[in-house]
């Protein structure tokens, strides 16, 4: 059945993967309780033609699944009956929103509301009624932004026949073209105890749920309403910050504040959001890391306001260049600075995708007031390709003497799912330039650019890719992230995966060879890495083992301070080393699971032994306790040292709407012990109460001395019109 003809990037799907949505009458309504007892469900012919992807591609599912789809003017309803012959073995550990379901039975689905095969809304739930969602963008690799929290609801029931689910998704939570009565849709079910994956459409191993171009269709969607398209989300917060400088009198700072976000849909597919006096008190603390490399670490964005647009602003993510990194806004050295206000516009018109940020940060003790601009435009071409532009600007507010940083980039994505008949092939290219700012020295045009290409063959059982990129010696976009510049890098990779469908012990065995050849701009080698992974085995039981061997060459021209305290310096020179890494992971669905990773490698003038232990205990549904210990023993020709990092995390979720998080972190490089607590109560979808408390101590060698603590309460509420 053909998707809507007027779309120039439409797809053709087999008619067996098409669902006619049932339109509810005025007298028919749905009570979202997970029980399919409404009479109209019996009027719908269920969708049942699922196919196994794992462990046997094309095999018959071990359990039956039925899908029902209905809608009225304002909501889409999806119901599913997931039969299970042994319901006492249904697994459901997680209740928290967006928590990973690698240990649970699960039901996932996508909605490609523009029927383009390029982007989709992702949703998932489990027998405990967890709500997980995200924005899915495809290209070279899948970008799933799970920070998007749409307003929708799901309820489940476990019975002696299996488990059932009822879902309500308001059309106000989705962007779509009201003239298009056909959407892309697909479903996937996981039977976790046997690690079985079944799909409705796109069930081949080189397809899958995360490829909207392989989805089926949902037809008959007419007269849909988003209301006025106006959403108002006010918030109020109170904070109490206490600092305890060593040997000084402690200081206490209390404050009350308020702000709001307003969103308006100019069209059903273009939405503008205005934020005033933005607050991120509820954002989870960054995970502590120990950095023994020469380069800065990249910490992921965790603030919802910026994460929601990450799909549109994604810029050739597989190629490793980031001209726009949102953590440059409102954070300096990991410390927050106030955001006075901002405007965000995200959307699509026809085959054009667009995004805009305009943000002003306030003045603080660590930063002057600044203005940030980021704009993104991409055009869909052919069936699976696109071309785009990105622009960013950074300057001090009201200060013309400060050089303003401008960055301009362009990217090209070419893709096909029909190479050699049914294979995937993708090509990627990019070019980024920025102007000269206050660096203390001048640079020419090419010094301030990066450029690269990437060819990807993501198929099964053989896959491969090769990329080439160059970074100029002064390349450093004002709103970007660049861990290293001044190089030329060639990086090919190839791998092969054997699947043993009838083997009672082995599920799959993968091998991979990865090579990296990096030179300076004069073609002199600086980093050469060869990594061979002869063993990457997944067992039928769910356990996994991986072994790899690495050969590394490094040439450095300047001294390198490993611990960043002047105590251990690596001198300039050439360094050649070998390394061995082994990892074993138990099946994630067990009540007690874990992972052990050990590596022994040459490290500059000596060796490094690294051990990482992770363990998780799930004593009851909704309670997940985990601990991680990472240790490195470094022995160099001139000295030796040991680093340790401990992270303990507890997630206690009383219901899918009430969650408590506690994180304890300690490392013996900073000698800091950190405690983070967060309580979240989702009053209704889109409206939350947060209680947050954090405290840091420093290990003085004699005792732990408190140096700071922070407490915050925040409440927000969403009004839709």
């Amino acid at each position: 059945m053909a998707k809507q003809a007027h779309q120039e990037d439409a797809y053709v799907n087999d008619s067996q993967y098409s669902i006619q949505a049932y339109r509810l009458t005025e007298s028919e309504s749905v009570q979202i309780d997970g029980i399919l007892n409404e009479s109209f469900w019996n009027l719908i012919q269920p969708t049942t033609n699922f196919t196994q992807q794992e462990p046997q591609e094309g095999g018959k599912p071990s359990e039956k699944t039925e899908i029902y789809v209905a809608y009225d003017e304002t909501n889409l309803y999806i119901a599913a009956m997931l039969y299970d012959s042994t319901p006492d073995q249904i697994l459901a550990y997680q209740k928290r929103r967006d928590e990973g379901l690698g240990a649970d039975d699960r039901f996932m689905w996508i909605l490609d509301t523009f029927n383009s095969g390029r982007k989709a809304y992702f949703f998932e739930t489990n027998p405990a009624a967890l709500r997980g969602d995200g924005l899915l963008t495809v290209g070279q690799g899948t970008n799933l932004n799970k920070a998007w929290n749409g307003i929708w609801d799901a309820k489940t029931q476990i019975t002696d026949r299996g488990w059932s689910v009822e879902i309500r998704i308001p059309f106000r939570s989705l962007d779509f073209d009201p003239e298009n009565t056909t959407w892309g849709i697909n479903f996937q079910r996981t039977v976790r105890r046997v690690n079985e994956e079944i799909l409705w459409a796109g069930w081949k191993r080189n397809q899958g749920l995360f490829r909207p171009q392989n989805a089926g269709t949902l037809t008959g969607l007419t007269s849909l309403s988003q209301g006025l398209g106006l959403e108002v989300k006010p918030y109020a917060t109170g904070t109490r910050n206490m600092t305890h400088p060593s040997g000084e009198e402690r200081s206490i700072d209390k404050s009350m504040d308020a702000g709001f976000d307003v969103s308006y849909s100019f069209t059903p597919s273009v939405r503008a959001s205005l934020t005033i006096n933005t607050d991120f008190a509820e954002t989870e603390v960054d995970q502590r890391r120990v950095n023994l490399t020469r380069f800065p670490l990249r910490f992921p964005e965790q603030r919802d306001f910026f994460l929601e647009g990450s799909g549109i602003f994604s810029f050739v993510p597989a190629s490793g260049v980031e001209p726009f990194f949102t953590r440059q806004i409102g954070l300096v050295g990991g410390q927050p600075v106030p955001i006075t206000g901002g405007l965000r516009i995200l959307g699509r018109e026809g085959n054009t995708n667009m995004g805009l940020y305009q943000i002003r940060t306030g003045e603080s003790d660590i930063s002057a007031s600044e203005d940030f601009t980021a704009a993104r435009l991409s055009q869909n071409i052919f069936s699976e390709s696109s071309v785009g532009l990105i622009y960013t600007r950074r300057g001090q507010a009201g200060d013309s003497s400060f050089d303003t940083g401008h960055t301009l980039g362009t990217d090209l994505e070419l893709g096909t799912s029909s190479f050699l008949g049914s294979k995937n092939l993708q090509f990627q290219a990019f070019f980024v330039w920025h102007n000269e700012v206050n660096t203390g020295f001048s640079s020419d045009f090419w010094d301030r650019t990066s450029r690269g290409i990437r060819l990807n063959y993501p198929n099964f059982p053989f896959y491969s890719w090769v990329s080439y990129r160059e970074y100029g010696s002064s390349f450093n976009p004002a709103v970007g992230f660049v861990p290293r510049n001044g190089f030329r890098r060639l990086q090919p990779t190839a791998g092969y995966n054997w699947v043993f469908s009838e083997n009672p012990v082995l599920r799959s065995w993968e091998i991979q060879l990865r090579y990296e050849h990096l030179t300076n701009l004069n073609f002199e080698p600086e980093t050469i890495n060869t990594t061979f992974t002869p063993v990457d085995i997944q067992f039928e039981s769910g356990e996994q083992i991986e072994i790899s061997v690495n050969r590394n060459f490094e040439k450095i021209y300047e001294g390198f301070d490993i611990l960043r305290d002047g105590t251990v310096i690596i001198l300039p020179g050439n360094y050649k080393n070998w390394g061995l890494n082994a990892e074993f992971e138990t099946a994630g669905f067990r009540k007690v699971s874990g992972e052990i990773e050990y590596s022994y490698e040459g490290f500059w003038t000596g060796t490094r032994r690294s051990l990482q232990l992770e363990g998780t205990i799930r004593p009851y549904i909704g309670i997940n306790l985990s601990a991680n210990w990472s240790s490195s023993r470094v022995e160099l020709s001139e000295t030796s040292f040991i680093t340790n990092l401990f992270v303990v995390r507890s997630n206690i979720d009383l219901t899918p709407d009430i969650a408590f998080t506690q994180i304890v972190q300690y490392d013996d490089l900073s000698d800091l012990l950190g405690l983070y607590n967060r309580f979240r109560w989702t009053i209704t979808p889109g409206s939350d109460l947060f209680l947050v408390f954090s405290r840091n101590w420093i290990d003085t060698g004699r005792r732990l001395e408190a140096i700071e603590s922070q407490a915050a309460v925040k409440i927000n509420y969403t009004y839709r019109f």
Side-chain angles (χ1 to χ4, degrees):
M1 180 175 182
K3 292 191 176 184
Q4 189 156 340
H6 77 265
Q7 286 188 251
E8 57 183 71
D9 56 1
Y11 284 82
V12 176
N13 290 275
D14 194 312
S15 59
Q16 67 175 316
Y17 298 119
S18 182
I19 297 174
Q20 176 76 31
Y22 176 83
R23 176 80 184 214
L24 298 181
T25 65
E26 292 184 1
S27 62
E28 294 173 325
S29 61
V30 184
Q31 180 181 354
I32 302 300
D33 55 12
I35 304 174
L36 280 63
N37 57 0
E38 288 84 2
S39 59
F40 69 84
W41 291 128
N42 296 321
L43 303 176
I44 302 174
Q45 180 67 33
T47 297
T48 61
N49 53 324
F50 281 75
T51 305
Q52 232 184 82
Q53 184 186 63
E54 296 288 347
Q56 185 176 1
E57 182 183 88
K60 182 180 178 180
S62 63
E63 306 289 351
K64 183 180 178 181
T65 303
E66 296 177 347
I67 307 295
Y68 305 81
V69 182
Y71 76 104
D72 56 26
E73 184 181 17
T74 57
N75 298 290
L76 179 70
Y77 303 97
I78 298 175
M81 183 64 221
L82 303 106
Y83 292 91
D84 199 308
S85 55
T86 54
D88 59 320
Q89 296 185 36
I90 291 173
L91 296 172
Y93 294 115
Q94 301 287 359
K95 292 183 179 181
R96 175 169 308 203
R97 181 159 194 162
D98 288 332
E99 199 69 21
L101 291 179
D104 291 15
D105 286 72
R106 64 183 175 185
F107 174 57
M108 303 184 291
W109 67 101
I110 63 169
L111 296 173
D112 178 3
T113 56
F114 290 95
N115 197 22
S116 67
R118 301 169 183 272
K119 298 181 180 181
Y121 292 93
F122 166 83
F123 302 88
E124 65 180 345
T125 189
N126 69 348
L130 169 147
R131 292 192 303 273
D133 50 17
L135 301 176
L136 177 65
T137 306
V138 298
Q140 288 215 25
T142 297
N143 178 5
L144 177 59
N145 170 21
K146 293 191 74 173
W148 177 77
N149 286 328
I151 296 178
W152 59 285
D153 201 8
K155 293 292 187 295
T156 59
Q157 292 286 334
I158 299 178
T159 70
D160 57 1
R161 297 190 302 160
W163 61 288
S164 57
V165 58
E166 284 185 315
I167 298 147
R168 177 174 55 222
I169 305 175
F171 292 125
R172 293 179 180 181
S173 297
L174 306 174
D175 296 334
F176 56 89
D177 180 356
E179 301 298 321
N180 185 3
T181 61
T182 300
W183 292 3
I185 193 170
N186 203 2
F187 308 96
Q188 180 172 342
R189 178 187 177 183
T190 303
V191 183
R192 181 59 65 193
R193 64 181 178 274
V194 291
N195 287 320
E196 179 180 340
E197 302 288 351
I198 64 171
L199 284 97
W200 177 54
W203 46 263
K204 293 183 179 180
R205 287 195 177 99
N206 67 336
Q207 298 175 343
L209 184 77
F210 295 101
R211 288 177 56 83
Q213 57 265 57
N214 301 125
T217 56
L218 178 64
T219 64
L221 299 172
T222 60
S223 303
L224 310 183
S225 173
Q226 290 182 319
L228 295 178
L230 178 64
E231 181 177 293
V232 181
K233 190 173 184 177
Y235 83 86
T237 184
T239 61
R240 181 181 186 272
N241 299 331
M242 182 184 299
T243 57
H244 312 252
S246 181
E248 300 180 24
E249 186 176 345
R250 69 181 184 180
S251 62
I252 298 176
D253 178 33
K254 300 178 182 179
S255 65
M256 300 286 291
D257 214 341
F260 62 89
D261 296 342
V262 178
S263 297
Y264 179 70
S265 296
F266 292 105
T267 73
S269 57
V270 178
R271 183 172 301 178
S273 300
L274 177 68
T275 180
I276 300 297
N277 201 22
T278 316
D279 177 85
F280 300 111
E282 76 281 9
T283 302
E284 190 169 292
V285 65
D286 285 329
Q287 183 173 326
R288 194 87 56 88
R289 300 185 201 172
V290 172
N291 185 10
L292 298 180
T293 73
R294 292 180 288 156
F295 310 109
L297 296 178
R298 181 193 184 280
F299 288 88
E301 178 63 83
Q302 299 194 81
R303 298 167 294 176
D304 289 350
F305 182 80
F306 295 108
L307 281 166
E308 186 166 336
S310 65
I312 288 180
F313 280 87
S314 176
F315 186 86
V316 288
S319 290
V321 62
E322 283 193 274
F324 178 47
F325 182 46
T326 53
R327 281 181 67 105
Q328 297 283 10
I329 304 174
L331 289 170
V332 176
Q335 298 299 312
V337 297
I339 293 182
T340 306
L343 173 69
R344 181 187 66 204
I345 300 176
L346 304 173
R348 166 176 170 158
E349 283 295 323
N351 286 299
T352 303
N353 307 288
M354 64 193 78
L356 172 70
Y357 282 110
Q358 183 63 51
I359 308 290
R360 170 164 288 189
T361 60
E363 187 173 353
S364 70
D365 295 338
I366 57 178
S367 176
S369 178
E370 292 185 279
D371 287 325
F372 296 84
T373 303
R376 177 74 164 134
L377 193 69
S378 65
Q379 181 72 23
N380 298 337
I381 57 176
F382 311 121
S383 61
E384 299 180 48
S385 305
S386 65
V387 60
L389 293 171
I390 192 167
Y391 168 76
T392 70
R393 174 189 178 275
R394 180 176 188 173
Q396 283 194 6
D399 187 355
S400 60
S401 64
F402 183 84
D403 283 353
T404 299
H406 300 273
T407 301
L408 183 64
T410 182
D411 61 325
L412 172 68
E413 294 256 10
L414 300 176
T416 178
S417 299
S418 56
F419 179 68
L420 297 178
S422 60
K423 300 297 183 182
N424 302 308
L425 185 66
Q426 300 163 338
F427 173 80
Q428 193 177 78
F430 71 89
F431 184 88
V432 181
W433 163 91
H434 65 80
N435 68 324
E436 190 173 83
V437 292
N438 287 326
T439 59
F441 60 91
S442 61
S443 56
D444 64 23
F445 177 89
W446 291 104
D447 291 337
R448 292 177 272 106
T449 66
S450 67
R451 52 271 178 194
I453 58 174
R454 190 175 193 268
L455 184 65
N456 189 26
Y457 182 77
N459 292 286
F460 183 90
F462 174 77
Y463 63 88
S464 64
W465 69 81
V466 59
S467 64
Y468 177 79
R469 70 186 70 149
E470 297 179 352
Y471 280 37
S473 58
S474 301
F475 182 68
N476 188 22
V479 199
F481 178 79
V482 181
R484 183 174 188 172
N485 56 18
F487 67 83
R488 308 175 193 269
R489 177 180 180 266
L490 176 68
Q491 199 276 296
T493 295
Y496 194 89
N497 198 327
W498 291 273
V499 173
F500 308 96
S501 300
E502 306 299 328
N503 193 300
V505 178
L506 296 181
R507 169 68 62 88
S508 66
W509 188 318
E510 181 179 346
I511 64 172
Q512 185 187 92
L513 180 63
R514 179 185 177 94
Y515 178 73
E516 177 187 20
H517 189 92
L518 186 148
T519 74
N520 60 24
L521 296 176
N522 295 321
F523 297 97
E524 299 169 334
E526 289 191 352
T527 298
I528 301 176
N529 276 313
T530 304
T531 302
F532 178 51
T533 304
V535 177
D536 186 352
I537 299 175
Q538 291 191 6
F539 297 91
E540 277 296 317
S541 63
E543 274 66 37
Q544 183 173 350
I545 186 171
E546 180 179 325
I547 300 174
S548 61
V549 181
N550 176 262
R551 176 72 166 87
N552 172 257
F553 166 82
E554 294 283 350
K555 181 175 183 177
I556 58 174
Y557 296 91
E558 297 179 356
F560 165 41
D561 182 2
I562 291 182
L563 301 180
R564 293 166 173 79
D565 61 2
T567 60
V568 182
I569 306 296
I570 300 299
L571 299 177
N574 297 335
Y575 299 89
K576 300 178 182 179
N577 289 295
W578 287 86
L580 175 68
N581 186 83
E583 180 179 349
F584 175 74
E585 183 178 354
T586 67
F589 61 78
R590 306 191 190 282
K591 283 194 173 183
V592 179
S593 62
E595 179 180 348
I596 179 171
E597 182 176 358
Y598 177 78
S599 64
Y600 179 84
E601 60 184 341
F603 189 70
W604 303 111
T605 62
T607 60
R608 176 169 66 176
R609 297 177 177 88
S610 298
L611 177 65
Q612 180 167 310
L613 299 176
E614 295 184 29
T616 300
I617 301 175
R618 304 179 180 92
Y620 302 102
I621 294 177
I623 299 179
N624 294 265
L625 312 174
S626 64
N628 178 288
W629 172 44
S630 300
S631 178
S632 290
R633 179 184 294 271
V634 177
E635 297 179 353
L636 304 176
S637 59
E638 62 276 12
T639 187
S640 63
F641 60 89
I642 299 175
T643 68
N644 291 282
L645 171 63
F646 301 91
V647 180
V648 178
R649 182 185 183 108
S650 65
N651 288 346
I652 301 175
D653 308 316
L654 304 179
T655 74
D657 297 319
I658 299 177
F660 176 72
T661 299
Q662 183 176 74
I663 303 173
V664 180
Q665 303 185 95
Y666 173 78
D667 74 271
D668 56 7
L669 281 185
S670 68
D671 289 325
L672 285 177
L673 174 67
L675 171 66
Y676 173 83
N677 297 277
R678 185 178 75 168
F679 172 81
R680 177 177 182 174
W681 174 30
T682 300
I683 305 166
T684 62
S687 304
D688 301 276
L689 170 68
F690 295 94
L691 303 176
V692 180
F693 175 76
S694 63
R695 191 176 181 92
N696 290 316
W697 296 264
I698 189 167
D699 184 359
T700 64
R702 303 185 307 274
R703 63 186 180 91
L704 291 174
E705 182 178 310
I707 56 175
E708 63 178 349
S709 62
Q710 298 177 334
V713 56
K714 179 178 179 179
I715 187 169
N716 57 57
Y717 204 89
T718 299
Y719 298 91
R720 284 180 157 183
F721 304 94

